[in-house]
Amino acid sequence: QVQLVDSGGDLVRPGGSLRLSCAASGFIFRDYYMSWIRQAPGRGLEWIAYISDRGTVTYYADSVRGRFTISRDNANNSLYLQLKSLGDEDTAVYYCARFGPTVTYFDSWGQGTLVTVSS
Amino acid sequence: DIQMTQSPSSLSASVGDRVSITCRAGQNIKTYLSWYQQIPGKAPRLLIYASSTLQGGVPSRFSGSGSGTDFTLTISSLQPEDFATYYCQQSLSTPTFGGGTKVEI
């Protein structure tokens, strides 16, 4: 079955960097658009980035554009999110999610990985 | 960005109740609307997409309706496992989520 496993979350100081990973299995990874979505403690869901199936198209929310970079390795069925210039507002659980076939909804989610930005 | 507004933000209900949650879009999004359920400490789960299409494996007591700017998620008979937070999400443009509706006992 479809499985997405998020990893890489950690405690990081303001201004620091981190790379998150998402290992995919159970489906043909290279055929799907993928996204990262985050959730600050006690808050709602915020979409932050997506990448096309071949990795040629990326798009970001205004809140992270220029600081975060989404990428993928289709040979190794992996999705990544590089986070830089982190601030308190970036503290959240980060989920990778698979877009459904019509690229309009998220039909599978990772379990999430917690990023805490604090001095 | 298209703003999504859910109401109510929380509600109390009992097992067996019929529950409806409303989502309003800031502009016409046709039927590009999905609903998710999130149990505390877990990842969200897709319930409904394209406003009214039930995702595979989701119980038939869940249903969705609406088009344009006004949408509704209905649970016909609330079960113990349905106490959770529900989110709507639009996809006419870059995805945005509603603020969530917490369904409590």
Side-chain angles (χ1 to χ4, degrees):
Chain A
Q1 72 278 21
V2 174
Q3 188 170 21
L4 299 170
V5 179
D6 301 317
S7 62
D10 204 348
L11 171 64
V12 60
R13 296 194 184 279
S17 299
L18 203 59
R19 189 174 90 149
L20 307 182
S21 300
C22 171
S25 61
F27 64 103
I28 302 174
F29 181 69
R30 65 179 181 270
D31 285 350
Y32 288 84
Y33 279 52
M34 299 293 295
S35 253
W36 287 96
I37 296 160
R38 69 182 179 182
Q39 186 171 36
R43 305 295 297 273
L45 300 166
E46 179 189 17
W47 168 83
I48 56 173
Y50 78 70
I51 187 167
S52 63
D53 48 2
R54 298 294 183 257
T56 55
V57 177
T58 58
Y59 201 81
Y60 300 91
D62 289 345
S63 58
V64 306
R65 186 176 293 117
R67 300 188 300 121
F68 292 7
T69 303
I70 188 171
S71 62
R72 65 190 297 162
D73 180 350
N74 284 347
N76 289 297
N77 296 329
S78 294
L79 178 72
Y80 303 103
L81 186 68
Q82 179 71 48
L83 293 69
K84 295 182 178 179
S85 302
L86 287 163
D88 295 346
E89 69 279 8
D90 298 314
T91 293
V93 174
Y94 286 73
Y95 296 99
C96 73
R98 188 183 82 167
F99 269 110
T102 58
V103 197
T104 56
Y105 55 88
F106 305 104
D107 66 357
S108 297
W109 296 64
Q111 87 287 2
T113 188
L114 176 63
V115 174
T116 303
V117 183
S118 176
S119 55
Chain B
D1 288 358
I2 299 176
Q3 189 83 359
M4 304 299 292
T5 304
Q6 286 183 236
S7 60
S9 56
S10 66
L11 64 89
S12 296
S14 301
V15 172
D17 284 354
R18 181 181 179 89
V19 168
S20 291
I21 297 168
T22 296
C23 180
R24 176 162 289 175
Q27 66 184 73
N28 184 350
I29 60 168
K30 305 178 185 179
T31 56
Y32 290 102
L33 193 284
S34 306
W35 290 98
Y36 302 83
Q37 176 195 62
Q38 187 177 33
I39 293 167
K42 300 290 189 180
R45 168 198 180 197
L46 176 68
L47 299 176
I48 287 168
Y49 61 93
S51 178
S52 60
T53 303
L54 204 64
Q55 173 71 343
V58 174
S60 59
R61 62 181 179 273
F62 291 92
S63 64
S65 64
S67 66
T69 60
D70 293 318
F71 301 86
T72 301
L73 173 70
T74 300
I75 309 171
S76 60
S77 177
L78 203 63
Q79 298 301 300
E81 60 269 30
D82 300 337
F83 291 95
T85 299
Y86 294 85
Y87 293 94
C88 62
Q89 172 245 321
Q90 67 78 25
S91 54
L92 179 71
S93 64
T94 53
T96 49
F97 292 87
T101 296
K102 186 174 184 180
V103 177
E104 301 175 293
I105 299 174

